[in-house]
Amino acid sequence: VALKDKTYGVRVTRGKDWTWSDQDGGTGSVGTTVPDGDDQRGWINVKWDNGRSYRYRVGAEGKYDLYYAPGQARTGHSDRVPLTGKEK
């Protein structure tokens, strides 16, 4: 299932529109969506388990670069709810 909005704290893998080579560490790699201080619509930051962080499309240009990781519940912090920086 494609990640279609800015939802933080969910585990993701590369999705159907992926064009970013092996930034994620390779096919099957998993990362976590994290806030990055940029509210640009249609993009979200992912910190991959390999330690790298990059931004990916979640609707920008009509593309969806990320899928929810297998077994990942469709929950997290949506961009519709302001983050205070004190979440646990």
Side-chain angles (χ1 to χ4, degrees):
V1 174
L3 181 67
K4 294 189 175 181
D5 60 13
K6 279 190 171 183
T7 305
Y8 303 116
V10 296
R11 302 285 283 162
V12 295
T13 61
R14 58 173 72 179
K16 68 181 181 89
D17 294 322
W18 184 266
T19 60
W20 310 104
S21 188
D22 284 338
Q23 284 183 350
D24 58 352
T27 302
S29 295
V30 180
T32 303
T33 58
V34 295
D36 64 357
D38 187 343
D39 63 356
Q40 185 177 7
R41 183 175 294 265
W43 292 85
I44 195 165
N45 196 55
V46 175
K47 181 168 186 180
W48 296 104
D49 289 354
N50 66 14
R52 298 179 184 156
S53 293
Y54 298 99
R55 294 169 48 79
Y56 300 98
R57 299 169 295 188
V58 287
E61 305 167 3
K63 305 289 184 181
Y64 298 91
D65 293 321
L66 305 168
Y67 285 147
Y68 285 93
Q72 171 64 55
R74 295 346 179 236
T75 61
H77 297 286
S78 170
D79 67 348
R80 296 180 187 98
V81 179
L83 295 176
T84 65
K86 297 179 183 176
E87 290 77 13
K88 293 184 180 183

